[in-house]
Coordinates of all heavy atoms in Angstrom, one line a residue:
A1605 N -6.7 2.4 -0.1 CA -6.4 2.2 1.4 C -6.0 3.4 2.0 O -5.5 4.3 1.3 CB -5.4 1.0 1.6
V1606 N -6.1 3.5 3.3 CA -5.4 4.5 4.1 C -4.6 3.8 5.2 O -5.1 2.8 5.8 CB -6.5 5.5 4.7 CG1 -7.1 6.4 3.7 CG2 -7.5 4.8 5.5
E1607 N -3.5 4.3 5.5 CA -2.7 3.9 6.6 C -2.7 5.0 7.7 O -2.2 6.1 7.4 CB -1.3 3.6 6.2 CG -0.4 3.2 7.3 CD 1.1 3.1 7.0 OE1 1.5 2.0 6.4 OE2 1.8 4.1 7.1
I1608 N -3.2 4.8 8.9 CA -3.3 5.8 9.9 C -1.9 5.7 10.6 O -1.4 4.7 11.0 CB -4.4 5.6 10.9 CG1 -5.6 5.2 10.2 CG2 -4.6 6.7 11.8 CD1 -6.8 4.8 11.1
H1609 N -1.3 6.9 10.8 CA 0.1 7.0 11.5 C -0.1 7.0 13.0 O -0.4 8.0 13.6 CB 0.8 8.2 11.0 CG 2.3 8.1 11.1 ND1 2.9 7.4 12.2 CD2 3.3 8.7 10.4 CE1 4.2 7.5 11.9 NE2 4.5 8.2 10.9
F1610 N 0.1 5.8 13.6 CA 0.3 5.8 15.1 C 1.7 5.4 15.5 O 1.9 4.8 16.6 CB -0.7 4.5 15.5 CG -2.1 4.8 15.3 CD1 -3.0 3.7 15.3 CD2 -2.7 6.0 15.2 CE1 -4.4 3.9 15.2 CE2 -4.1 6.2 15.0 CZ -4.9 5.1 15.1
G1611 N 2.7 5.9 14.9 CA 4.0 5.6 15.2 C 5.0 6.8 15.2 O 4.6 7.9 15.0
H1612 N 6.1 6.6 15.7 CA 7.3 7.4 15.7 C 7.2 8.7 16.4 O 7.8 9.8 16.2 CB 7.6 7.7 14.2 CG 7.9 6.5 13.4 ND1 7.6 6.5 12.0 CD2 8.2 5.3 13.8 CE1 7.9 5.2 11.6 NE2 8.2 4.5 12.7
N1613 N 6.3 8.8 17.5 CA 6.0 9.9 18.3 C 5.4 11.0 17.5 O 5.5 12.2 18.0 CB 7.3 10.3 19.1 CG 7.6 9.4 20.2 OD1 8.7 9.4 20.8 ND2 6.7 8.5 20.6
Y1614 N 4.8 10.8 16.4 CA 3.7 11.8 15.8 C 2.7 11.9 16.8 O 2.7 11.3 17.9 CB 3.3 11.2 14.5 CG 4.3 11.5 13.3 CD1 5.7 11.2 13.5 CD2 3.9 12.0 12.1 CE1 6.5 11.5 12.5 CE2 4.8 12.3 11.1 CZ 6.1 12.0 11.3 OH 7.0 12.3 10.2
L1615 N 1.7 12.7 16.5 CA 0.7 13.1 17.6 C 0.1 11.9 18.3 O 0.0 11.8 19.5 CB -0.4 14.0 17.0 CG -1.4 14.5 18.0 CD1 -0.6 15.3 19.1 CD2 -2.4 15.4 17.3
A1616 N -0.5 10.9 17.5 CA -1.2 9.8 18.1 C -0.3 9.0 18.9 O -0.5 8.5 20.1 CB -1.9 9.0 17.0
S1617 N 0.9 8.7 18.4 CA 1.9 8.0 19.1 C 2.4 8.7 20.4 O 2.7 8.0 21.4 CB 3.1 7.8 18.2 OG 4.3 7.2 18.8
S1618 N 2.4 10.0 20.3 CA 2.9 10.8 21.5 C 1.9 10.5 22.6 O 2.2 10.6 23.8 CB 3.1 12.2 21.2 OG 1.9 12.9 20.9
F1619 N 0.6 10.4 22.3 CA -0.4 10.2 23.3 C -0.2 8.8 23.9 O -0.6 8.7 25.1 CB -1.9 10.2 22.7 CG -2.5 11.6 22.8 CD1 -2.1 12.7 21.9 CD2 -3.5 12.0 23.7 CE1 -2.6 13.9 22.0 CE2 -4.0 13.2 23.8 CZ -3.7 14.2 22.9
L1620 N 0.3 7.9 23.2 CA 0.5 6.5 23.8 C 1.7 6.5 24.7 O 1.9 5.7 25.6 CB 0.8 5.5 22.6 CG -0.5 5.2 21.7 CD1 0.0 4.3 20.6 CD2 -1.6 4.6 22.5
S1621 N 2.6 7.5 24.6 CA 3.9 7.5 25.3 C 3.7 8.0 26.7 O 3.2 9.1 27.0 CB 4.9 8.4 24.6 OG 5.9 8.7 25.4
P1622 N 4.0 7.2 27.8 CA 4.1 7.8 29.2 C 5.0 8.9 29.3 O 4.8 9.7 30.2 CB 4.4 6.5 29.9 CG 4.3 5.3 29.1 CD 4.5 5.8 27.7
L1623 N 6.0 9.0 28.5 CA 7.0 10.0 28.7 C 6.4 11.4 28.2 O 6.7 12.4 28.9 CB 8.3 9.7 27.8 CG 9.4 10.7 27.8 CD1 10.0 11.0 29.2 CD2 10.5 10.3 26.7
L1624 N 5.8 11.3 27.1 CA 5.3 12.5 26.5 C 3.9 12.9 26.9 O 3.5 14.1 26.8 CB 5.3 12.4 24.9 CG 6.7 12.1 24.3 CD1 6.5 11.9 22.8 CD2 7.7 13.1 24.7
N1625 N 3.1 11.9 27.3 CA 1.7 12.2 27.8 C 1.6 12.2 29.2 O 1.6 11.2 30.0 CB 0.8 11.1 27.1 CG -0.7 11.3 27.5 OD1 -1.0 12.2 28.2 ND2 -1.6 10.6 26.8
R1626 N 1.4 13.4 29.8 CA 1.4 13.5 31.3 C 0.0 14.1 31.7 O -0.1 14.8 32.7 CB 2.5 14.3 31.8 CG 3.8 13.7 31.5 CD 5.0 14.5 32.1 NE 4.9 16.0 31.5 CZ 5.4 16.3 30.2 NH1 5.9 15.4 29.4 NH2 5.4 17.5 29.8
R1627 N -1.0 13.9 30.8 CA -2.3 14.5 30.9 C -3.0 14.0 32.2 O -2.7 12.8 32.6 CB -3.2 14.4 29.7 CG -2.7 14.9 28.4 CD -3.5 14.6 27.3 NE -4.8 15.2 27.3 CZ -5.1 16.4 26.6 NH1 -4.2 16.8 25.7 NH2 -6.3 16.9 26.7
K1628 N -3.9 14.7 32.7 CA -4.7 14.3 34.0 C -6.1 14.1 33.6 O -6.9 13.6 34.4 CB -4.6 15.4 35.0 CG -3.2 15.7 35.5 CD -2.4 14.5 36.1 CE -1.1 15.0 36.5 NZ -0.3 13.8 36.9
D1629 N -6.5 14.2 32.3 CA -7.9 14.0 31.9 C -8.1 12.5 31.4 O -7.2 11.8 31.7 CB -8.4 15.0 30.9 CG -7.5 14.9 29.6 OD1 -6.7 14.0 29.4 OD2 -7.7 15.8 28.8
R1630 N -9.2 12.3 30.7 CA -9.4 10.9 30.3 C -8.6 10.5 29.1 O -8.7 9.3 28.6 CB -10.9 10.6 30.1 CG -11.5 11.5 29.0 CD -13.0 11.5 29.0 NE -13.5 11.9 27.7 CZ -14.0 11.1 26.8 NH1 -13.9 9.8 27.0 NH2 -14.4 11.6 25.7
Y1631 N -7.6 11.3 28.6 CA -6.7 11.0 27.5 C -5.3 10.8 28.1 O -4.4 10.7 27.3 CB -6.8 12.1 26.4 CG -8.1 12.0 25.7 CD1 -9.1 12.9 26.0 CD2 -8.1 11.2 24.5 CE1 -10.3 12.8 25.2 CE2 -9.2 11.1 23.8 CZ -10.4 11.9 24.1 OH -11.5 11.8 23.5
G1632 N -5.1 10.8 29.5 CA -3.8 10.5 30.0 C -3.9 9.7 31.2 O -5.0 9.3 31.8
G1633 N -2.7 9.3 31.7 CA -2.6 8.4 33.0 C -2.5 7.0 32.5 O -1.4 6.5 32.2
S1634 N -3.6 6.3 32.7 CA -3.5 4.8 32.5 C -3.2 4.4 31.0 O -3.5 5.3 30.1 CB -4.8 4.2 32.9 OG -5.9 4.6 32.1
A1635 N -2.9 3.3 30.8 CA -2.7 2.9 29.4 C -4.0 2.9 28.6 O -4.0 3.3 27.4 CB -2.1 1.4 29.4
A1636 N -5.1 2.6 29.2 CA -6.4 2.7 28.5 C -6.7 4.2 28.2 O -7.2 4.4 27.1 CB -7.5 2.1 29.4
N1637 N -6.4 5.1 29.0 CA -6.7 6.5 28.7 C -5.7 7.0 27.7 O -6.2 7.6 26.7 CB -6.5 7.3 30.0 CG -7.7 7.3 30.9 OD1 -8.8 6.7 30.5 ND2 -7.6 7.8 32.0
R1638 N -4.5 6.5 27.7 CA -3.5 7.1 26.6 C -3.9 6.4 25.2 O -3.5 7.1 24.3 CB -2.1 6.7 27.1 CG -1.6 7.7 28.2 CD -0.1 7.3 28.5 NE 0.0 6.2 29.5 CZ 0.5 5.0 29.1 NH1 1.0 4.9 27.9 NH2 0.6 4.1 30.0
A1639 N -4.5 5.3 25.3 CA -5.0 4.7 24.0 C -6.2 5.0 23.5 O -6.6 4.8 22.3 CB -4.9 3.2 24.2
R1640 N -6.9 5.9 24.2 CA -8.3 6.4 23.8 C -8.3 7.1 22.5 O -9.0 6.9 21.5 CB -8.9 7.3 24.9 CG -10.4 7.4 24.7 CD -10.9 8.5 25.7 NE -10.7 8.0 27.1 CZ -11.4 7.1 27.8 NH1 -12.5 6.6 27.1 NH2 -11.0 6.8 29.1
F1641 N -7.3 8.0 22.4 CA -7.2 8.8 21.2 C -7.0 7.9 19.9 O -7.7 8.2 18.8 CB -6.1 9.9 21.3 CG -5.9 10.8 20.2 CD1 -7.0 11.3 19.5 CD2 -4.7 11.3 19.8 CE1 -6.9 12.4 18.6 CE2 -4.5 12.2 18.8 CZ -5.6 12.7 18.1
V1642 N -6.1 7.0 19.9 CA -5.8 6.2 18.7 C -7.0 5.3 18.4 O -7.4 5.1 17.2 CB -4.6 5.3 18.9 CG1 -3.3 6.2 19.1 CG2 -4.6 4.4 19.9
R1643 N -7.7 4.8 19.4 CA -8.9 4.0 19.1 C -10.0 4.7 18.6 O -10.7 4.3 17.6 CB -9.3 3.3 20.5 CG -8.3 2.4 21.1 CD -8.7 1.8 22.4 NE -9.8 0.9 22.3 CZ -10.4 0.3 23.3 NH1 -10.0 0.5 24.6 NH2 -11.5 -0.5 23.1

Side-chain angles (χ1 to χ4, degrees):
V1606 290
E1607 176 190 276
I1608 315 170
H1609 202 328
F1610 291 161
H1612 306 154
N1613 285 166
Y1614 280 46
L1615 185 61
S1617 173
S1618 70
F1619 267 77
L1620 293 174
S1621 166
L1623 176 67
L1624 302 177
N1625 184 350
R1626 302 179 301 280
R1627 300 176 71 101
K1628 303 300 182 183
D1629 61 7
R1630 60 196 201 99
Y1631 288 93
S1634 68
N1637 281 354
R1638 285 183 280 113
R1640 190 184 307 276
F1641 186 36
V1642 300
R1643 296 176 70 182

